[in-house]
Amino acid sequence: MNVYKTVTNLQQELKKLRQKKSIGFVPTMGALHKGHLSLIKQAKNENDVVVVSIFVNPTQFDKKEDLDNYPITLDADKKLLDEVGCDIVFIPSVKEIYSTNIKSQHFDFGGIEHEMEGKFRDGHFDGVGTIVKRLFEIVQPDTAYFGEKDFQQLQIIKKLVEIEQMPIKIVGCTIFREKDGLAMSSRNARLTPEHREVAPFIYKILKKSKKKFGTKNASKVTKWVEKKFKKHPLLKLEYFTIANEDNLKTFEGKKDPKSKIKQRAFIAVFAGKIRLIDNLQL
Ligand code: PAF
């Protein structure tokens, strides 16, 4: 596995490879877990060469504390990447990516950026759009892979390549879960043992809401979820929303099995100071 820290060196290598080989790309912020590894394995199956980037992007954090505490496990990450057969890892510095102007570009993603995460994390999707656009320009992959745990981010990135007319196929990969159902996330490592123990409640509630949505309308299901969390001593609900998968607008009615548009339940919860998100197709 080759490790590159500068755009120039990475591009020198990619220029040679691109002539004959397909390039799959998995952008990450490091602290890799099995969820990331499944993206990399899929990229490996579908491409000749796999590039992974590790970059904790400062412009997508709305809280400085969250950025400062983001886990960094570079040595362990490199070892895992080697084991799954990653070909190239790109680990740039903030200066390499942003020079001295650590700012986001503003994007119009057609409204999906204002729903859910967009309401609670100011400027988050401008930051994501800025870094993913920059990384796509640098790597110029044929295909890029993103986890469905960040389903809204996945939809935003699909929109980004459309707006920017980038010839990159975006592939969404199913959520990887711990045995007890908790969606894998780099942030799980920061949970206290107490919060880690109760965190699978989030997925349990998602599964129960899926069942309820079969007979009850979305607003009723939402109220039921809110009530459940009000009673929970350790988990604080930020939002639970049932939304259309295509435009991410809140859906309030009853499930229509004949409709082509699917709904998904989205949730954000605080387990102490750690914010966890998850979603489930209904
Ligand atoms: O999902 C992530 O880890 C990040 O948002 C991404 C896509 C790597 C951009 O920094």
Side-chain angles (χ1 to χ4, degrees), residues 27-29 57 60 131-132 146 150 153:
T28 80
M29 298 205 296
N57 172 37
Q60 72 187 75
I131 186 58
V132 173
F146 295 86
D150 298 287
Q153 168 174 283

